[in-house]
Amino acid sequence: MKIALLGYGKMGKVIEKVALSRGHEIVLRKTSSSSFEGLENADVAIDFSIPDAAVSNISKCFDTNVPVVCGTTGWLSQYEEMVALCKAKNGTFIYGSNFSLGVNLFFEMNSYLAKLMDKFDQYKVRIEEIHHTQKLDRPSGTAITLANDIIHQSTYSNWALADVTHGEGEKNDSNANEIQIDAQRIENVPGTHTVIYDSEIDSIEIKHTAHNREGFATGAVIAAEWIFGKKGVFSMKDVLDLNK
């Protein structure tokens, strides 16, 4: 398969390594200072760029009739616009806040736990996430997905970014229906997410810790392999057959 890499930073280079190891060819390594030349030769594009570039990258793929896998976060206010454009162009699109296979299983665990815990109002949920200092968006797209999945399964109605002082999240109990997300940025941390249910008696928590970027890269390449030859808008639930 011929792959275009839209974004050639640390993640792009790891994706390249994984893709080559799986027998694929890289036909474009797009950076902020280079053109889209070669995109038309790609069977699929993988976008791990920056929030400001994601929408134009995705749109260019639809215009060029190239399926696109997007793992860039921080641009989701325009997600529905991109879904509509994909359908209008008869394109192919997968967005994922996190392509790690482990994280997507973690999403399923989080949803199930949220459904169970909704019956016990003595527990208050919060989310903690830690990423490397180069991550531009805060909170992470993964943390937002976790919060939205909890909201879908419970009486919580919103999430909010907790104040951070010296790396510690300050709980805000002013809104009982609001999930607090404590987003910390620490050097050389690929990504750690913890969902915590606290009561006066005890705490319950589930946690996912990434040891390196290869999990994200492998999942993105697997998603690219899966969408090849398909049309429509998909998610990692489709790729991993988790919709049943």
Side-chain angles (χ1 to χ4, degrees):
M1 200 166 62
K2 296 179 179 180
I3 297 176
L5 297 177
L6 307 182
Y8 195 57
K10 291 180 179 178
M11 268 302 300
K13 290 179 173 66
V14 178
I15 291 170
E16 178 181 42
K17 177 184 173 183
V18 171
L20 292 175
S21 73
R22 296 173 72 92
H24 303 305
E25 177 186 355
I26 307 302
V27 296
L28 170 62
R29 297 167 180 85
K30 175 77 172 69
T31 68
S32 59
S33 59
S34 64
S35 73
F36 285 98
E37 185 178 354
L39 179 61
E40 68 279 2
N41 299 321
D43 295 313
V44 64
I46 301 177
D47 178 274
F48 272 80
S49 55
I50 59 174
D52 289 344
V55 169
S56 61
N57 287 349
I58 295 165
S59 299
K60 185 67 174 180
C61 289
F62 295 153
D63 289 339
T64 316
N65 196 30
V66 175
V68 57
V69 172
C70 178
T72 304
T73 58
W75 63 274
L76 284 190
S77 60
Q78 294 176 271
Y79 174 75
E80 293 301 331
E81 179 185 335
M82 290 299 97
V83 168
L85 183 60
C86 178
K87 292 177 180 178
K89 297 280 189 176
N90 192 30
T92 309
F93 180 40
I94 288 183
Y95 165 76
S97 60
N98 196 311
F99 280 92
S100 161
L101 304 186
V103 165
N104 280 276
L105 295 174
F106 187 64
F107 286 156
E108 297 299 305
M109 293 169 59
N110 174 61
S111 292
Y112 184 69
L113 181 59
K115 186 176 181 180
L116 288 177
M117 298 303 293
D118 190 47
K119 301 174 184 178
F120 303 96
D121 57 11
Q122 64 265 45
Y123 289 92
K124 172 71 175 176
V125 70
R126 59 189 172 89
I127 296 170
E128 295 178 355
E129 62 104 335
I130 308 171
H131 278 89
H132 51 86
T133 53
Q134 290 78 36
K135 186 167 180 60
L136 298 179
D137 54 322
R138 181 172 172 267
S140 68
T142 301
I144 293 172
T145 298
L146 290 167
N148 286 336
D149 286 348
I150 293 170
I151 290 167
H152 182 70
Q153 296 287 356
S154 69
T155 56
Y156 287 97
S157 59
N158 197 11
W159 61 264
L161 185 63
D163 293 330
V164 177
T165 305
H166 303 301
E168 293 292 334
E170 296 178 354
K171 291 188 213 176
N172 178 2
D173 295 324
S174 60
N175 188 344
N177 292 321
E178 191 171 76
I179 301 168
Q180 293 286 298
I181 302 177
D182 174 6
Q184 302 179 36
R185 297 293 173 261
I186 299 174
E187 198 70 36
N188 298 322
V189 177
T192 300
H193 294 84
T194 311
V195 179
I196 304 158
Y197 288 84
D198 275 324
S199 77
E200 293 183 1
I201 298 173
D202 56 13
S203 297
I204 300 170
E205 65 180 61
I206 56 174
K207 181 177 182 179
H208 179 274
T209 303
H211 300 308
N212 52 55
R213 290 182 170 88
E214 286 203 14
F216 313 127
T218 300
V221 175
I222 288 172
E225 293 167 348
W226 186 87
I227 66 168
F228 181 60
K230 295 181 174 67
K231 293 287 184 181
V233 178
F234 304 100
S235 72
M236 281 300 282
K237 281 181 176 285
D238 299 302
V239 176
L240 300 179
D241 198 22
L242 297 174
N243 279 316
K244 295 179 180 178

